Amino acid sequence: MDYVVEMLNIRKEFPGIVANDNITLQLKRGEVHALLGENGAGKSTLMGMLFGMYHPDLGSIKINGSEVKIANPNVANDLGIGMVHQHFKLVHNFTTTQNIILGIEPKKGLTVDIKSATTKVAELSKRYGLNVDPSAKIEDISVGMQQRVEILKMLYRNAEILIFDEPTAVLTPQEINDLMEIMKNLIQEGKSIILITHKLKEIKAVADRCTVIRRGKYIGTVDVKSTSEMEMAKMMVGRPVSFKVTKIPSTPKDTILKIDNLCVQNNKKVLGLKNFSLEVRAGEIVGIAGVEGNGQSELVEAITGLRKIESGSVVVKDQPINTLSVKKRIDMGIAHIPEDRHKRGLILDYTVEDNMILEIYHKEPFSRYKLLNRPAIHSYADKIIADFDVRAGEGGASYARSLSGGNQQKAIIGREIALDPDLLIAVQPTRGLDVGSIEYIHKRLIEQRDKGKAVLLVSLELDEVMNVSDRIAIVNNGELIGIVQASETNENEIGLMMAGVKGEDRHE
Amino acid sequence: MNKAGIISLISVFLGLLAGAVLMIITGHNPFVGFMYLIQGGTLTLERIGNTLATATPLILTGLSVTFAFKTGLFNIGTPGQMLFGGFCATAVGLTSNLPSILLLPLMLLAGFLGGALFAFIPGLLKAVFNVHEVVSSIMMNWISFWIVYYTIQAYFKGNMETESRLLADSATLRAPWLSNLFGGSYINLGLLIAILCVAVVAFILNKTTFGYELKSVGFNRHAAEYGGISVNKNIILSMMISGGLAGLAGVMQYAGNANNIQIGVMPSQGFDGIAVALLGGITPIGSLFSALFFGLLYSGRGFMNAMTDVPPEIADTIIATIIYFAATSILVERLLDKFSKSRKTAQLSEATTADPLYPDSSEKNTEDKGDN
């Protein structure tokens, strides 16, 4: 068999923990090989060894059949291994070409030969169907384009083995489809790909074989075509997982949130949300579907008080809140699971405990006469940690920074639900989480609905919006395109509306 | 001892080492030099008293810088705030005839408010227009400097052209019993007030909702805003309290250690406050100890000069070198981090699933603080 990469019986220990235990991964030439596992399963450690960032304690690595020692990433580069990192490593005020040649600039005398580099980048871009403008600045191009620049960076360095680390986490549905096409092109041009992911749908769409690891252990390698998503999920999580969110039909009651003709500016000082109207009632989940940057952030920030409202009104429980402070809105029963848990959601240098009182530190019993009441804070945080299964080394005393992404997210969701809000706004609540955590968080959202709360769910994952919501409002370019019942629609209809095609247009 | 404490001690040690090298290069015996330096600050009760007195304004300027830093602000207008605070207190002391028991609190209040006023302006500019406080606070120093220069000459001129009239003993923080206790040293009640301030600031930062708000804004202003905390209000208040503490340092200096104001001199204790705060690991109690260390250096310097043939310029260079190392304790922290990094990232990657492929994401976000 023709293997380009063989990682055989790899074992890697870190002090106190076995990160990889007897793991084997064999990449055939010209295949897309998925590496599937939950957060913390050891995927990154394994790939770190292939990329020369760690060295295996036991086991061997073979490239093109011969055993190699990969001492550092430069060696990996020389062996033709390239990696597209989840967080791009680009200089924002440089052009794409400047970024691509960074570190291996072609010289012409004492100057950089940017012309020939630009030509080469353009050629590569064309050959692999990447459609990258060689002279565009990084700050002016979309996230999806930036990722392609990262891919070009590897191709420019003649990488034969491409590692994609969670490449779709930052992409919109369309961009994901484009990326899948690009991967297929790469394979056709003779490259081999390792795809690190925990998204089964993508594996199904693009991968040939899939190696599953769980808690540092090798579970198996399967042929993707003959294995169902359900089976792979079970291998990954270790128990059967239900994809379909089970829920009873909603019984909406009074209107909790009423948005009327709302206009909000975006960061570029133009209207990011235009004449937007929506109602959310008690006991229902309304999902907002749309491609990233189509007014979702503006909508959420206008409701929560983080952004100024230009015109229109937001009414919560029959009271206009347009000019109320963030604090007053929280007191009115608006809770917000923010889009970016590191920017807004948590104070990473505070303990988990201190983070749990971020909105209520000034209230009894957490403080009295402006003095913090530690015992009360402590027991409150402990309860959230227990109820929401937040795993932290030292419990409430752990620094938020030290928690894994999933546990940080659970802590935030626990904190918001513990406020017992009448309106819960959940923005991308499962971003970057694994199947097990996603299932859990969806259950919690539906539980809120069943308790008679109003839930506004904003997500870029179409599956999530469709599975969890009762009604779906679709936004495009800051405008409401339409509202559909989740039970009466399909991906195709919503997809078209996300692209800006209105309901009535379609039937013509 | 916690990590910050260890870092500070290593910094001090490196500073002393550098000072020793300097002495060797200039042909002096470092052991003898340091012996006299330390003896100069501790040999007699009077010398100990003077060390403590020298440290007193430094405790407060260190505290001032620390306080602002906790809210993510870098207040380097402490010299001007200290000068103006001291001036306000002096003006009150020279113009009113109240008994000590009323006059001294009034002077302290005037000093606090004077310093707070000068920090309020950069705080306001930061909150409303997002003008960086480093620029706007340092520029205030000269405004303070020339206002004091003019006003003292015009209204409070003493025997000499360059200084104000002397404060009456009843209008200073000096206390005969305290001076006598330390063999006639110029130690004064300022030390007790400074220690009290350390305790109050530590209490505010760690135990109160106000401290919680301030630190929230300092660590992550976006999250603070999200939690309903008024970022602008806290920035302004933090700057004012920071300035007020610097103003109190001025009272200690000009109505305690001295009893008049020399014009045309920017108080060096202001900028030293930055070094004190950094060496103290940006904690109130740390500022207290590092100020004492600085006090020892400053008050032992003269004795070293007198007892050895180290020229005074070299002595000052040595002191400056030690301070430099102390102030750059962040370097020591980086080195320590690097030392234990491979091990730490490895643990982190598994314990928290932070991705080992992006080591920068697991580092402490020192840059984040700079952004604020």
Side-chain angles (χ1 to χ4, degrees):
Chain A
M1 198 79 228
D2 184 18
Y3 289 119
V4 267
V5 174
E6 288 177 274
M7 299 183 81
L8 302 170
N9 307 102
I10 301 287
R11 181 181 174 89
K12 178 70 187 170
E13 267 182 62
F14 291 120
I17 193 153
V18 183
N20 282 175
D21 182 9
N22 200 15
I23 293 184
T24 293
L25 185 147
Q26 290 169 304
L27 176 67
K28 286 182 196 166
R29 189 176 305 282
E31 77 166 343
V32 177
H33 193 112
L35 178 59
L36 176 67
E38 290 194 286
N39 286 332
K43 302 180 299 248
S44 298
T45 307
L46 187 67
M47 286 302 109
M49 282 184 278
L50 184 55
F51 205 56
M53 306 184 91
Y54 305 122
H55 312 293
D57 299 334
L58 287 175
S60 58
I61 300 176
K62 288 184 187 169
I63 305 289
N64 295 323
S66 51
E67 192 164 337
V68 290
K69 287 260 176 296
I70 305 175
N72 58 55
N74 290 336
V75 176
N77 269 327
D78 295 342
L79 288 168
I81 302 171
M83 185 145 180
V84 174
H85 295 274
Q86 193 176 358
H87 303 279
F88 308 144
K89 297 169 184 301
L90 297 169
V91 183
H92 277 238
N93 51 358
F94 271 18
T95 65
T96 52
T97 303
Q98 282 171 326
N99 268 286
I100 288 163
I101 61 174
L102 205 60
I104 51 163
E105 302 86 354
K107 302 246 170 45
K108 197 176 180 182
L110 282 174
T111 58
V112 175
D113 184 7
I114 202 87
K115 219 175 199 173
S116 74
T118 307
T119 321
K120 191 173 169 195
V121 168
E123 272 167 22
L124 279 173
S125 167
K126 201 173 165 205
R127 178 162 155 213
Y128 292 96
L130 294 175
N131 205 13
V132 167
D133 175 358
S135 49
K137 277 199 179 157
I138 296 297
E139 59 199 4
D140 298 330
I141 63 180
S142 70
V143 174
M145 243 347 142
Q146 290 178 14
Q147 189 173 54
R148 294 182 192 186
V149 175
E150 286 282 355
I151 296 172
L152 270 176
K153 235 168 148 179
M154 298 193 301
L155 297 174
Y156 192 87
R157 286 163 177 72
N158 300 316
E160 290 298 319
I161 301 149
L162 312 178
I163 307 171
F164 285 82
D165 185 10
E166 303 274 356
T168 59
V170 290
L171 300 183
T172 62
Q174 285 87 339
E175 285 173 330
I176 291 174
N177 288 338
D178 294 345
L179 178 67
M180 299 290 156
E181 285 306 311
I182 291 169
M183 284 188 177
K184 283 175 192 160
N185 285 345
L186 289 167
I187 293 298
Q188 267 165 21
E189 295 285 332
K191 310 283 179 190
S192 311
I193 294 177
I194 297 177
L195 171 66
I196 307 176
T197 187
H198 53 241
K199 292 188 184 168
L200 298 161
K201 220 168 130 183
E202 288 157 16
I203 293 178
K204 259 317 210 195
V206 75
D208 301 302
R209 295 192 307 146
C210 172
T211 292
V212 186
I213 56 177
R214 182 167 77 227
R215 291 180 190 195
K217 289 209 165 55
Y218 177 74
I219 303 298
T221 301
V222 296
D223 184 57
V224 171
K225 280 199 182 58
S226 59
T227 314
S228 72
E229 285 183 40
M230 209 65 97
E231 282 167 284
M232 282 191 275
K234 198 178 158 197
M235 285 174 79
M236 167 168 72
V237 184
R239 62 179 166 81
V241 182
S242 72
F243 288 116
K244 202 68 197 166
V245 182
T246 46
K247 59 176 197 228
I248 52 169
S250 66
T251 48
K253 299 192 177 68
D254 306 341
T255 300
I256 298 291
L257 172 69
K258 189 172 189 323
I259 300 169
D260 200 25
N261 266 314
L262 187 66
C263 292
V264 185
Q265 281 189 353
N266 63 16
N267 290 339
K268 291 178 185 151
K269 303 279 174 216
V270 297
L271 285 186
L273 195 68
K274 299 161 204 160
N275 298 318
F276 187 92
S277 301
L278 182 72
E279 277 186 30
V280 184
R281 295 160 73 185
E284 72 167 348
I285 299 178
V286 174
I288 305 281
V291 179
E292 184 162 22
N294 275 276
Q296 296 98 322
S297 307
E298 288 79 9
L299 171 66
V300 168
E301 291 182 358
I303 301 171
T304 51
L306 295 167
R307 194 179 281 267
K308 214 182 100 212
I309 290 169
E310 292 305 312
S311 65
S313 72
V314 180
V315 177
V316 170
K317 291 188 284 181
D318 299 325
Q319 190 186 333
I321 62 165
N322 278 29
T323 56
L324 293 185
S325 67
V326 175
K327 193 166 251 167
K328 290 220 174 83
R329 297 188 203 205
I330 293 167
D331 290 346
M332 281 187 69
I334 302 176
H336 173 200
I337 297 162
E339 180 178 5
D340 186 335
R341 55 180 168 258
H342 289 169
K343 184 185 174 196
R344 292 271 190 207
L346 290 170
I347 295 177
L348 293 172
D349 292 307
Y350 266 169
T351 58
V352 173
E353 198 170 291
D354 279 347
N355 271 293
M356 290 303 100
I357 55 163
L358 189 56
E359 294 117 327
I360 46 171
Y361 65 93
H362 56 290
K363 289 186 184 163
E364 287 208 32
F366 310 109
S367 63
R368 246 178 231 136
Y369 309 114
K370 306 259 176 202
L371 297 182
L372 294 173
N373 179 2
R374 279 286 152 202
I377 296 167
H378 193 70
S379 58
Y380 181 76
D382 278 353
K383 189 163 185 307
I384 295 177
I385 289 170
D387 286 355
F388 288 82
D389 188 31
V390 179
R391 289 183 204 160
E394 296 157 61
S398 322
Y399 281 92
R401 184 181 295 287
S402 72
L403 268 58
S404 70
N407 283 304
Q408 288 176 343
Q409 189 70 13
K410 282 199 256 179
I412 294 172
I413 290 173
R415 176 181 73 201
E416 298 309 309
I417 289 180
L419 293 174
D420 194 24
D422 293 316
L423 172 63
L424 177 63
I425 302 172
V427 187
Q428 295 271 67
T430 59
R431 184 182 232 178
L433 302 188
D434 54 65
V435 176
S437 306
I438 291 174
E439 193 187 5
Y440 179 84
I441 286 167
H442 286 168
K443 263 190 205 156
R444 287 293 188 160
L445 292 179
I446 291 164
E447 191 180 283
Q448 285 298 298
R449 179 199 78 165
D450 292 344
K451 275 194 203 160
K453 314 288 186 185
V455 179
L456 182 66
L457 170 69
V458 180
S459 177
L460 302 178
E461 305 272 353
L462 197 47
D463 286 348
E464 179 167 41
V465 174
M466 291 183 63
N467 283 335
V468 179
S469 317
D470 301 308
R471 288 193 300 142
I472 301 170
I474 296 99
V475 289
N476 175 274
N477 198 19
E479 286 176 65
L480 179 68
I481 301 299
I483 299 177
V484 294
Q485 293 290 329
S487 53
E488 295 164 8
T489 186
N490 56 51
E491 204 163 316
N492 200 22
E493 184 184 27
I494 296 186
L496 279 170
M497 291 170 84
M498 279 165 72
V501 183
K502 295 198 183 193
E504 56 267 33
D505 302 343
R506 275 200 322 280
H507 300 299
E508 283 168 15
Chain B
M1 171 145 277
N2 60 14
K3 192 177 163 207
I6 292 167
I7 287 167
S8 300
L9 286 183
I10 294 175
S11 308
V12 167
F13 175 76
L14 289 177
L16 293 174
L17 206 64
V21 169
L22 209 57
M23 279 196 242
I24 292 168
I25 290 171
T26 53
H28 303 94
N29 183 337
F31 293 102
V32 175
F34 281 136
M35 186 185 76
Y36 286 123
L37 183 69
I38 291 167
Q39 281 186 355
T42 56
L43 195 59
T44 62
L45 271 178
E46 187 194 354
R47 286 185 184 280
I48 293 175
N50 291 347
T51 295
L52 294 173
T54 312
T56 300
L58 291 172
I59 296 172
L60 284 162
T61 51
L63 210 52
S64 163
V65 174
T66 297
F67 196 87
F69 217 94
K70 287 287 184 194
T71 317
L73 299 165
F74 197 16
N75 176 14
I76 59 172
T78 36
Q81 292 149 16
M82 175 177 169
L83 184 64
F84 197 74
F87 165 74
C88 291
T90 304
V92 170
L94 287 174
T95 49
S96 63
N97 285 319
L98 294 167
S100 268
I101 190 89
L102 292 176
L103 182 59
L104 289 179
L106 197 64
M107 286 171 66
L108 288 170
L109 183 68
F112 187 90
L113 292 178
L117 174 71
F118 264 70
F120 167 73
I121 296 166
L124 186 75
L125 291 175
K126 168 85 176 183
V128 179
F129 301 108
N130 203 22
V131 176
H132 204 291
E133 74 280 2
V134 164
V135 178
S136 57
S137 67
I138 200 170
M139 292 307 177
M140 293 296 289
N141 288 341
W142 295 103
I143 299 178
S144 162
F145 182 91
W146 291 112
I147 290 177
V148 172
Y149 196 103
Y150 167 78
T151 318
I152 284 186
Q153 274 196 330
Y155 302 102
F156 302 106
K157 191 156 64 184
N159 295 329
M160 308 250 276
E161 282 288 321
T162 55
E163 58 187 42
S164 69
R165 290 203 299 278
L166 298 182
L167 287 164
D169 273 356
S170 62
T172 69
L173 295 163
R174 293 182 181 177
W177 62 269
L178 195 59
S179 290
N180 293 337
L181 199 64
F182 283 90
S185 148
Y186 61 89
I187 189 171
N188 56 69
L189 295 174
L191 178 69
L192 304 180
I193 294 165
I195 291 172
L196 185 70
C197 287
V198 170
V200 169
V201 166
F203 181 81
I204 289 176
L205 286 176
N206 297 323
K207 303 282 182 195
T208 67
T209 55
F210 180 43
Y212 180 89
E213 288 186 10
L214 289 172
K215 285 186 291 177
S216 301
V217 173
F219 283 139
N220 182 348
R221 58 191 297 185
H222 302 290
E225 187 188 16
Y226 157 91
I229 295 168
S230 167
V231 172
N232 288 347
K233 182 189 94 182
N234 280 293
I235 283 176
I236 295 174
L237 277 177
S238 175
M239 277 305 272
M240 287 178 73
I241 292 174
S242 170
L245 290 167
L248 285 181
V251 186
M252 309 297 132
Q253 178 62 28
Y254 301 116
N257 291 359
N259 55 1
N260 66 350
I261 293 187
Q262 307 248 322
I263 58 169
V265 183
M266 190 75 93
S268 63
Q269 290 90 345
F271 282 134
D272 283 347
I274 298 167
V276 169
L278 291 173
L279 181 62
I282 321 284
T283 60
I285 192 79
S287 290
L288 174 64
F289 286 114
S290 72
L292 290 174
F293 172 69
F294 278 57
L296 178 69
L297 292 183
Y298 282 132
S299 71
R301 175 175 52 181
F303 193 65
M304 182 169 78
N305 270 341
M307 299 304 287
T308 66
D309 54 355
V310 177
E313 293 80 13
I314 294 297
D316 283 345
T317 310
I318 291 165
I319 305 284
T321 309
I322 296 172
I323 292 174
Y324 189 83
F325 268 85
T328 51
S329 53
I330 189 90
L331 279 179
V332 177
E333 188 175 359
R334 292 269 161 84
L335 286 176
L336 275 185
D337 277 357
K338 212 166 209 173
F339 195 65
S340 60
K341 191 166 167 188
S342 50
R343 170 168 290 227
K344 230 169 50 189
T345 34
Q347 280 172 340
L348 217 73
S349 65
E350 283 315 308
T352 70
T353 74
D355 206 322
L357 296 175
Y358 319 112
D360 29 319
S361 67
S362 59
E363 274 175 346
K364 234 177 125 52
N365 63 340
T366 33
E367 290 101 320
D368 283 4
K369 279 177 195 161
D371 288 344
N372 298 336

